[in-house]
Amino acid sequence: MTTVLIVDDQPLHRLGLRILLESVPDTQVAGEAGSGSEAVRRTAELHPDVVLMDIRMPGLDGIEATRRIVATGNRSRVLVLTTFDLDEYAYAALRAGASGFLLKDARPEELLGGIRAVAAGDAIIAPGLTRRLLDAYADHLPRATQAADEEKLRALTDREREILVAIARGWTNPEIAGRLHLSESTVKTHVGRVLAKIGARDRVQAVIFAYDIGLTFPHPA
């Protein structure tokens, strides 16, 4: 059973999401929040598996709410709903620690599948789509490289750095295995170690880290 906190400032939107989530046996609505500040508080109280987060809300928006939720170390993972797939707000939410995002007009099965994926620890945005998102906005947003990031990079072995670059290029585990002549189980082990060493919750965060640290760059226009 996956528990979900619905965050949206529009009561009708929350109602629609509740009806959808309650229509399937493997999801349960843990609660609702109508603002970012309420989302932070309710997440701390309820510890839902997934926080379904709207971005544009008055007062504390979904980006800052996501940042605060992630900063607490809460096990809850944030899935952002946004209007546009190439949206600087969605990019900022990913950098704040969200595990991915979906469009608000996603089909019900896509939303339910995304919630299950995030609850299972996966990022719901395909690496290739993440790459295109970052390509679109990396030149417009400040990089946040810090000494701590450099230290994390130095902690990687040569092979792990190679794996990180492959992740940033949008390669799947089978593609990495084929191109680097490794077994998929070995790749999976390497990916897990890379994520742990750089402090990334998932592959989306690993791609962002690779951009920030300068391992990969946007495609030229």
Side-chain angles (χ1 to χ4, degrees):
M1 180 68 68
T2 299
T3 57
V4 182
L5 174 67
I6 300 171
V7 183
D8 197 297
D9 64 331
Q10 298 294 322
L12 283 178
H13 290 172
R14 295 200 304 271
L15 176 61
L17 289 169
R18 174 180 282 275
I19 291 172
L20 172 62
L21 294 175
E22 291 181 343
S23 71
V24 292
D26 62 340
T27 61
Q28 177 182 350
V29 177
E32 299 181 12
S35 67
S37 56
E38 187 180 7
V40 175
R41 178 175 58 81
R42 296 285 279 166
T43 299
E45 292 173 353
L46 300 171
H47 303 286
D49 297 314
V50 177
V51 179
L52 200 54
M53 181 76 74
D54 187 22
I55 288 183
R56 296 177 180 88
M57 294 181 288
L60 191 73
D61 64 19
I63 296 169
E64 182 58 29
T66 295
R67 184 176 293 110
R68 295 186 186 185
I69 289 170
V70 172
T72 66
N74 195 304
R75 68 177 181 84
S76 302
R77 296 169 66 84
V78 179
L79 171 56
V80 168
L81 292 180
T82 184
T83 306
F84 303 104
D85 57 349
L86 293 180
D87 183 338
E88 68 269 27
Y89 294 110
Y91 177 93
L94 292 176
R95 294 189 64 152
S99 295
F101 68 89
L102 286 174
L103 296 180
K104 281 193 171 183
D105 62 357
R107 297 191 303 272
E109 61 270 22
E110 291 176 334
L111 177 57
L112 293 171
I115 290 171
R116 295 182 186 110
V118 166
D122 295 327
I124 66 161
I125 307 171
L129 177 56
T130 304
R131 179 63 184 263
R132 292 194 296 274
L133 176 69
L134 296 178
D135 283 348
Y137 286 101
D139 282 340
H140 304 290
L141 295 175
R143 291 176 179 260
T145 303
Q146 300 175 355
D149 292 333
E150 298 285 353
E151 187 174 341
K152 291 175 184 177
L153 185 62
R154 286 194 295 271
L156 299 179
T157 65
D158 289 343
R159 175 62 84 183
E160 289 166 350
R161 185 181 293 218
E162 193 174 19
I163 294 291
L164 176 57
V165 171
I167 292 172
R169 289 174 176 168
W171 297 358
T172 63
N173 282 2
E175 288 173 334
I176 295 173
R179 299 187 188 199
L180 300 185
H181 307 290
L182 300 170
S183 69
E184 286 191 40
S185 61
T186 298
V187 170
K188 185 175 181 180
T189 297
H190 280 311
V191 169
R193 288 174 179 166
V194 168
L195 297 183
K197 285 186 177 182
I198 66 175
R201 291 160 63 96
D202 49 46
R203 294 172 83 107
V204 171
Q205 299 300 308
V207 174
I208 292 172
F209 176 88
Y211 266 76
D212 285 342
I213 207 69
L215 281 181
T216 188
F217 301 94
H219 296 167

